[in-house]
Amino acid sequence: MAKPRVFVTHPLFEPAREILNEGCEAEYWAQPDRPPRPELMQRLKDKEGLICLLTERVSEELLRAAPKLRIAANVAVGFDNIDVVACTKRGVVATNTPGVLDETTADFAWTLMMAVARRLGEGEALARSGIWQGWDLDQLVGTDVWGKTLGIVGFGRIGRAMARRASGFQMKVIYTDAVRALVEVEKELKAEFREMNALLAESDFVSVHVPLLPETRGLFDAPKFYRMKPTAFLINTSRGPVVDEAALVAALEEKKIAGAGLDVYENEPFIHSGLKRANVVLAPHLASASLETRTKMACMAAQNVVALFRGQRPPNMLNPEVLEAS
Ligand code: GLV
């Protein structure tokens, strides 16, 4: 029997290709640039599976161009690029890669937090500049991370991994979430619940870990920044549109907050020029980018696809009702 045909918008990593090639006939997009939309549609005409990155929108229009498609497997935990409702309507299983990137993402949120607090971006530029004159008492003095208050917005797996790291830094951890964590979890992580406004007023660092949903789009707007301490920093490794970038730029300009560490942007890869300032550390969407984690993510996407074509339930289904209906 012919193997199911799968289009993969990236060459992935060898271990993921091995998983996929066992059960499928995979066609890989190997160009350095992301596949142009018309090309993607063309390639999907005869495919039963798709493995895509978060830069590819799986929309109603794309699904219409892929009449044989049975699964769209995202190589990311965030799936705001996938119209899950449209997938469900067309009987297409959608999957993501939860769990494997939590620690790596939390590591990176900490990287940004420490970099912006300790002015590493500016220090690095100075060290490379050739004009550094040597140690000086008040040179690039930043602010301590240890002993401060860390406010976590979104207390899911990544938010909790963020909290776990704080004890070594003797930080107070507070969090907010639509759903309050179990008392045992709060105890274990030494994290106290706060309503959003209280968290903003109390935190020295506010780290965002919510998914992008209609309710979280623009969550960080001007009133939120006004509630933060003028000495506080915003860290965002979740999704860019959770933060109203124009409001963030205004808050930075008006010194409503002290700075920001950002990995994600409203209109990637565009970065608002107002964010390119000394008190903002910018990264190009790297939070899960360790070889170990990205390999696991790619393998997970491949396993989801292979499982479906073996007649099994893909482990990370976003719309399980698709299989329940059949
Ligand atoms: C990365 O941003 C992801 O959602 O996995």
Side-chain angles (χ1 to χ4, degrees):
M1 214 173 79
K3 286 181 176 177
R5 304 190 64 189
V6 177
F7 184 59
V8 191
T9 67
H10 190 279
L12 302 180
F13 300 97
E14 185 55 33
R17 284 201 297 270
E18 278 170 21
I19 294 168
L20 201 59
N21 293 345
E22 248 181 54
C24 308
E25 191 188 318
E27 184 178 307
Y28 296 91
W29 178 259
Q31 316 277 343
D33 291 336
R34 308 308 312 133
R37 200 84 184 147
E39 177 80 29
L40 184 56
M41 289 186 164
Q42 179 61 30
R43 301 274 189 129
L44 282 178
K45 266 190 172 153
D46 57 349
K47 303 296 185 301
E48 290 162 85
L50 164 68
I51 294 186
C52 62
L53 307 188
L54 55 81
T55 42
E56 276 101 37
R57 262 180 317 104
V58 178
S59 60
E60 173 78 43
E61 182 200 28
L62 188 82
L63 294 172
R64 263 202 305 272
K68 297 187 173 168
L69 200 68
R70 293 189 52 211
I71 181 165
N74 211 24
V75 189
V77 64
F79 53 89
D80 42 284
N81 58 312
I82 297 189
D83 185 339
V84 179
V85 174
C87 285
T88 306
K89 219 168 63 193
R90 292 183 165 268
V92 174
V93 169
T95 64
N96 68 339
T97 62
V100 289
L101 48 75
D102 306 339
E103 302 297 333
T104 303
T105 302
D107 276 355
F108 200 75
W110 271 81
T111 303
L112 289 176
M113 187 162 87
M114 299 188 76
V116 71
R118 299 301 305 274
R119 304 178 67 176
L120 182 60
E122 294 166 87
E124 230 246 348
L126 179 60
R128 286 172 189 260
S129 69
I131 58 165
W132 182 44
Q133 300 286 317
W135 193 90
D136 203 354
L137 189 62
D138 59 353
Q139 188 171 75
L140 289 180
V141 290
T143 185
D144 278 330
V145 172
W146 79 272
K148 296 282 177 66
T149 297
L150 170 61
I152 299 175
V153 177
F155 209 50
R157 287 180 304 261
I158 300 173
R160 292 174 193 199
M162 189 76 193
R164 210 168 296 119
R165 284 157 175 71
S167 64
F169 288 78
Q170 300 161 56
M171 293 178 92
K172 175 174 179 180
V173 178
I174 55 180
Y175 78 93
T176 194
D177 196 292
V179 184
R180 195 169 164 171
L182 297 175
V183 178
E184 303 86 82
V185 173
E186 290 186 351
K187 260 201 192 137
E188 186 207 328
L189 299 177
K190 295 190 183 64
E192 293 173 22
F193 178 81
R194 295 284 188 278
E195 295 298 339
M196 174 69 101
N197 287 344
L199 177 137
L200 295 175
E202 197 177 332
S203 301
D204 298 303
F205 299 92
V206 175
S207 191
V208 189
H209 301 283
V210 294
L212 177 60
L213 301 168
E215 344 35 303
T216 59
R217 188 175 285 276
L219 177 70
F220 276 81
D221 54 6
K224 296 268 186 330
F225 295 123
Y226 278 55
R227 289 184 192 277
M228 286 173 66
K229 295 183 190 175
T231 50
F233 296 86
L234 178 81
I235 310 299
N236 189 13
T237 50
S238 64
R239 283 291 183 267
V242 170
V243 172
D244 177 338
E245 241 163 45
L248 172 59
V249 169
L252 289 163
E253 267 163 15
E254 294 160 23
K255 300 194 172 22
K256 299 289 178 203
I257 66 170
L262 305 173
D263 188 42
V264 288
Y265 307 91
E266 237 178 274
N267 298 300
E268 293 175 16
F270 170 78
I271 299 181
H272 194 305
S273 60
L275 295 173
K276 296 175 185 167
R277 52 205 309 136
N279 57 345
V280 180
V281 171
L282 303 168
H285 206 149
L286 291 179
S288 64
S290 71
L291 180 60
E292 297 93 324
T293 291
R294 288 282 168 89
T295 303
K296 282 183 199 152
M297 290 162 68
C299 287
M300 231 170 151
Q303 277 151 358
N304 280 316
V305 169
V306 167
L308 182 79
F309 292 128
R310 280 198 184 125
Q312 298 159 357
R313 214 183 137 81
N316 312 108
M317 285 181 70
L318 297 167
N319 51 356
E321 58 273 32
V322 169
L323 292 190
E324 275 147 28
S326 62

